[in-house]
Amino acid sequence: MSIFDNPDFLSIQPLDLENKLYKPTAQLFVHVKQQTTTAYQELKEVLLEAHSFISVEAKQVYEHPGETLNDWYQLAVDNGTATYQEVLPKLAASYQQVESGLIDLNAQSKAFWSAFYADPEAFSVSLIEPLLAQLNGLLAQSQSHLSSLTGQVETYLITTYSNLLQVSDLLMQQPMNTINAVYQNSLAALLDIYAHIISSLLTLA
């Protein structure tokens, strides 16, 4: 059913600017301001903590340079050892996987060339047949999609043409009312969309 068949089409929809434009925009502004303030406070706290930590460590180095630097060195060695002990098994496992993969690839290559040398023609056919079957399947799917798309385009064009004829009739019969209705109702629809988008953003945030 076309929207132009709707008996209320020529009725002017009210523009609810207060609830559909002003309030959602104000809510979005308040939300963005709160998010910005929160992010600023979090960044400020992180910077203050980092400054406090650096100040304490610098004071330790100044008052006890040898002991503090020795502690740092020991901490670095401990962390390095722990990281090495954690990473080494992973590297060994990765190496074993690569080695196993190369062995399998070598075996598959030998089997491939052995089959090819034994009967090149039959082997080539065995490779080409699955590709042809897959290609035929893709062609069939493409034709099906193309037929469906053609039907949809045809339906859309017929509907559009019908709607244009109805708009022409309305413009001939009631030109000012039709133009006002299209303009006003389009604005009302845009306001509805805007309010819905803002509401969705505030809900997700």
Side-chain angles (χ1 to χ4, degrees):
M1 177 178 168
S2 169
I3 59 169
F4 303 108
D5 295 331
N6 186 350
D8 295 331
F9 171 72
L10 291 178
S11 64
I12 303 298
Q13 300 295 323
L15 297 180
D16 190 2
L17 295 176
E18 180 66 27
N19 293 314
K20 299 292 177 67
L21 180 63
Y22 301 142
K23 284 185 178 179
T25 303
Q27 290 173 350
L28 181 63
F29 178 76
V30 170
H31 179 73
V32 170
K33 185 177 179 182
Q34 289 175 346
Q35 293 289 340
T36 305
T37 303
T38 302
Y40 171 76
Q41 290 297 333
E42 291 176 354
L43 178 62
K44 182 179 178 181
E45 291 174 5
V46 169
L47 291 176
L48 287 174
E49 289 177 4
H51 179 267
S52 176
F53 174 78
I54 292 172
S55 298
V56 171
E57 293 299 319
K59 185 178 179 182
Q60 284 290 105
V61 171
Y62 178 76
E63 294 178 350
H64 310 287
E67 183 180 346
T68 303
L69 292 176
N70 185 52
D71 290 343
W72 287 3
Y73 172 77
Q74 190 60 44
L75 182 63
V77 169
D78 293 341
N79 288 337
T81 303
T83 303
Y84 176 77
Q85 291 174 348
E86 181 181 352
V87 170
L88 186 61
K90 294 181 180 178
L91 289 176
S94 299
Y95 173 77
Q96 290 176 353
Q97 288 179 352
V98 171
E99 185 180 24
S100 175
L102 290 174
I103 292 172
D104 291 342
L105 181 61
N106 186 35
Q108 291 174 5
S109 299
K110 288 180 178 178
F112 176 87
W113 289 114
S114 297
F116 178 77
Y117 287 130
D119 190 353
E121 185 177 347
F123 186 76
S124 300
V125 170
S126 69
L127 288 177
I128 293 172
E129 282 181 346
L131 293 175
L132 288 175
Q134 188 174 8
L135 182 61
N136 288 333
L138 289 174
L139 286 174
Q141 283 184 347
S142 298
Q143 289 175 349
S144 174
H145 289 314
L146 185 60
S147 299
S148 174
L149 182 61
T150 302
Q152 292 175 2
V153 169
E154 183 179 355
T155 303
Y156 174 76
L157 290 176
I158 291 172
T159 304
T160 303
Y161 178 72
S162 175
N163 289 342
L164 287 174
L165 288 178
Q166 293 176 42
V167 170
S168 303
D169 290 341
L170 283 173
L171 283 171
M172 293 296 290
Q173 297 168 8
Q174 306 176 54
M176 292 307 298
N177 289 342
T178 303
I179 292 173
N180 285 336
V182 170
Y183 176 74
Q184 190 83 1
N185 294 341
S186 297
L187 285 179
L190 288 175
L191 286 175
D192 288 339
I193 293 171
Y194 176 77
H196 178 70
I197 291 173
I198 298 301
S199 176
S200 300
L201 289 175
L202 293 176
T203 302
L204 291 174

